[in-house]
Amino acid sequence: MANDKKITVEREAFELNGKTCYSYFVKGAVRGREVKAQLVPQDNGGYVLLDIVFDNADTAELVIGTISITNDKGKTEMFPSYTVKNVDENGEVFECPVKAARKTDKTKLAMILR
């Protein structure tokens, strides 16, 4: 998943019960088809963080990292981790960990990032 290009996360507003909410996604082309992979925060409290990260912008950067998890048998496995990041006009960094919304979004994201 080594990728030097900058990946952009976009947000799109929608109305839910009279309140403006946002969906977050990465777009890309896979085999000539436009594909969207929806992202969500790691937990429900993360939506407030995403609002802070995006502030008045409609885009942010997707930072790809790696986490390692060791199981009870001592085997360590590596998994990708994703963070949405923006830097304000003062140089202050704002971040929020995210994940793919569904299994299909996880697969689409992997295809986009190839």
PDB file of all heavy atoms in Angstrom, residues 62-75:
ATOM      1  N   LEU A  62      -6.009  12.177   3.472  1.00  0.00           N
ATOM      2  CA  LEU A  62      -6.048  10.864   4.091  1.00  0.00           C
ATOM      3  C   LEU A  62      -4.609  10.420   4.342  1.00  0.00           C
ATOM      4  O   LEU A  62      -3.809  10.321   3.417  1.00  0.00           O
ATOM      5  CB  LEU A  62      -6.745   9.843   3.187  1.00  0.00           C
ATOM      6  CG  LEU A  62      -6.861   8.428   3.759  1.00  0.00           C
ATOM      7  CD1 LEU A  62      -7.802   8.421   4.964  1.00  0.00           C
ATOM      8  CD2 LEU A  62      -7.354   7.455   2.705  1.00  0.00           C
ATOM      9  N   VAL A  63      -4.284  10.194   5.605  1.00  0.00           N
ATOM     10  CA  VAL A  63      -2.953   9.733   5.981  1.00  0.00           C
ATOM     11  C   VAL A  63      -3.047   8.232   6.242  1.00  0.00           C
ATOM     12  O   VAL A  63      -3.879   7.781   7.030  1.00  0.00           O
ATOM     13  CB  VAL A  63      -2.446  10.461   7.246  1.00  0.00           C
ATOM     14  CG1 VAL A  63      -1.080   9.953   7.657  1.00  0.00           C
ATOM     15  CG2 VAL A  63      -2.420  11.968   7.008  1.00  0.00           C
ATOM     16  N   ILE A  64      -2.195   7.482   5.572  1.00  0.00           N
ATOM     17  CA  ILE A  64      -2.214   6.030   5.688  1.00  0.00           C
ATOM     18  C   ILE A  64      -1.032   5.589   6.536  1.00  0.00           C
ATOM     19  O   ILE A  64       0.108   5.957   6.269  1.00  0.00           O
ATOM     20  CB  ILE A  64      -2.142   5.374   4.296  1.00  0.00           C
ATOM     21  CG1 ILE A  64      -3.282   5.882   3.431  1.00  0.00           C
ATOM     22  CG2 ILE A  64      -2.174   3.853   4.434  1.00  0.00           C
ATOM     23  CD1 ILE A  64      -3.146   5.546   1.971  1.00  0.00           C
ATOM     24  N   GLY A  65      -1.321   4.836   7.563  1.00  0.00           N
ATOM     25  CA  GLY A  65      -0.288   4.311   8.444  1.00  0.00           C
ATOM     26  C   GLY A  65      -0.443   2.812   8.593  1.00  0.00           C
ATOM     27  O   GLY A  65      -1.210   2.167   7.876  1.00  0.00           O
ATOM     28  N   THR A  66       0.269   2.250   9.544  1.00  0.00           N
ATOM     29  CA  THR A  66       0.201   0.823   9.811  1.00  0.00           C
ATOM     30  C   THR A  66       0.141   0.616  11.321  1.00  0.00           C
ATOM     31  O   THR A  66       0.855   1.286  12.063  1.00  0.00           O
ATOM     32  CB  THR A  66       1.445   0.106   9.256  1.00  0.00           C
ATOM     33  OG1 THR A  66       1.563   0.402   7.868  1.00  0.00           O
ATOM     34  CG2 THR A  66       1.336  -1.394   9.418  1.00  0.00           C
ATOM     35  N   ILE A  67      -0.709  -0.302  11.730  1.00  0.00           N
ATOM     36  CA  ILE A  67      -0.736  -0.698  13.132  1.00  0.00           C
ATOM     37  C   ILE A  67      -0.438  -2.190  13.206  1.00  0.00           C
ATOM     38  O   ILE A  67      -0.714  -2.930  12.262  1.00  0.00           O
ATOM     39  CB  ILE A  67      -2.091  -0.397  13.813  1.00  0.00           C
ATOM     40  CG1 ILE A  67      -3.248  -1.093  13.099  1.00  0.00           C
ATOM     41  CG2 ILE A  67      -2.340   1.078  13.915  1.00  0.00           C
ATOM     42  CD1 ILE A  67      -4.559  -1.034  13.843  1.00  0.00           C
ATOM     43  N   SER A  68       0.148  -2.606  14.302  1.00  0.00           N
ATOM     44  CA  SER A  68       0.414  -4.034  14.482  1.00  0.00           C
ATOM     45  C   SER A  68      -0.356  -4.523  15.694  1.00  0.00           C
ATOM     46  O   SER A  68      -0.473  -3.829  16.703  1.00  0.00           O
ATOM     47  CB  SER A  68       1.911  -4.285  14.653  1.00  0.00           C
ATOM     48  OG  SER A  68       2.395  -3.635  15.793  1.00  0.00           O
ATOM     49  N   ILE A  69      -0.896  -5.709  15.556  1.00  0.00           N
ATOM     50  CA  ILE A  69      -1.649  -6.331  16.629  1.00  0.00           C
ATOM     51  C   ILE A  69      -1.070  -7.723  16.858  1.00  0.00           C
ATOM     52  O   ILE A  69      -0.883  -8.484  15.913  1.00  0.00           O
ATOM     53  CB  ILE A  69      -3.149  -6.428  16.280  1.00  0.00           C
ATOM     54  CG1 ILE A  69      -3.741  -5.031  16.093  1.00  0.00           C
ATOM     55  CG2 ILE A  69      -3.910  -7.200  17.350  1.00  0.00           C
ATOM     56  CD1 ILE A  69      -5.173  -5.006  15.633  1.00  0.00           C
ATOM     57  N   THR A  70      -0.779  -8.016  18.114  1.00  0.00           N
ATOM     58  CA  THR A  70      -0.269  -9.332  18.478  1.00  0.00           C
ATOM     59  C   THR A  70      -1.396 -10.134  19.114  1.00  0.00           C
ATOM     60  O   THR A  70      -2.010  -9.686  20.088  1.00  0.00           O
ATOM     61  CB  THR A  70       0.915  -9.208  19.456  1.00  0.00           C
ATOM     62  OG1 THR A  70       1.916  -8.377  18.861  1.00  0.00           O
ATOM     63  CG2 THR A  70       1.507 -10.563  19.773  1.00  0.00           C
ATOM     64  N   ASN A  71      -1.666 -11.323  18.554  1.00  0.00           N
ATOM     65  CA  ASN A  71      -2.750 -12.146  19.092  1.00  0.00           C
ATOM     66  C   ASN A  71      -2.283 -12.913  20.323  1.00  0.00           C
ATOM     67  O   ASN A  71      -1.114 -12.825  20.732  1.00  0.00           O
ATOM     68  CB  ASN A  71      -3.327 -13.065  18.016  1.00  0.00           C
ATOM     69  CG  ASN A  71      -2.353 -14.125  17.540  1.00  0.00           C
ATOM     70  OD1 ASN A  71      -1.351 -14.422  18.185  1.00  0.00           O
ATOM     71  ND2 ASN A  71      -2.652 -14.711  16.394  1.00  0.00           N
ATOM     72  N   ASP A  72      -3.182 -13.667  20.910  1.00  0.00           N
ATOM     73  CA  ASP A  72      -2.866 -14.391  22.145  1.00  0.00           C
ATOM     74  C   ASP A  72      -1.845 -15.509  21.957  1.00  0.00           C
ATOM     75  O   ASP A  72      -1.294 -16.029  22.921  1.00  0.00           O
ATOM     76  CB  ASP A  72      -4.136 -14.931  22.803  1.00  0.00           C
ATOM     77  CG  ASP A  72      -4.949 -15.817  21.883  1.00  0.00           C
ATOM     78  OD1 ASP A  72      -4.641 -15.898  20.684  1.00  0.00           O
ATOM     79  OD2 ASP A  72      -5.917 -16.435  22.369  1.00  0.00           O
ATOM     80  N   LYS A  73      -1.557 -15.872  20.711  1.00  0.00           N
ATOM     81  CA  LYS A  73      -0.538 -16.896  20.424  1.00  0.00           C
ATOM     82  C   LYS A  73       0.810 -16.266  20.096  1.00  0.00           C
ATOM     83  O   LYS A  73       1.743 -16.952  19.705  1.00  0.00           O
ATOM     84  CB  LYS A  73      -1.002 -17.780  19.274  1.00  0.00           C
ATOM     85  CG  LYS A  73      -2.238 -18.587  19.624  1.00  0.00           C
ATOM     86  CD  LYS A  73      -2.670 -19.467  18.498  1.00  0.00           C
ATOM     87  CE  LYS A  73      -3.930 -20.219  18.916  1.00  0.00           C
ATOM     88  NZ  LYS A  73      -4.429 -21.062  17.850  1.00  0.00           N
ATOM     89  N   GLY A  74       0.896 -14.942  20.206  1.00  0.00           N
ATOM     90  CA  GLY A  74       2.148 -14.251  19.971  1.00  0.00           C
ATOM     91  C   GLY A  74       2.425 -13.882  18.521  1.00  0.00           C
ATOM     92  O   GLY A  74       3.473 -13.346  18.207  1.00  0.00           O
ATOM     93  N   LYS A  75       1.486 -14.140  17.631  1.00  0.00           N
ATOM     94  CA  LYS A  75       1.667 -13.795  16.218  1.00  0.00           C
ATOM     95  C   LYS A  75       1.271 -12.333  15.995  1.00  0.00           C
ATOM     96  O   LYS A  75       0.186 -11.908  16.387  1.00  0.00           O
ATOM     97  CB  LYS A  75       0.830 -14.696  15.320  1.00  0.00           C
ATOM     98  CG  LYS A  75       1.036 -14.411  13.854  1.00  0.00           C
ATOM     99  CD  LYS A  75       0.213 -15.313  12.968  1.00  0.00           C
ATOM    100  CE  LYS A  75       0.441 -14.912  11.522  1.00  0.00           C
ATOM    101  NZ  LYS A  75      -0.462 -15.611  10.624  1.00  0.00           N
TER     102      LYS A  75
END
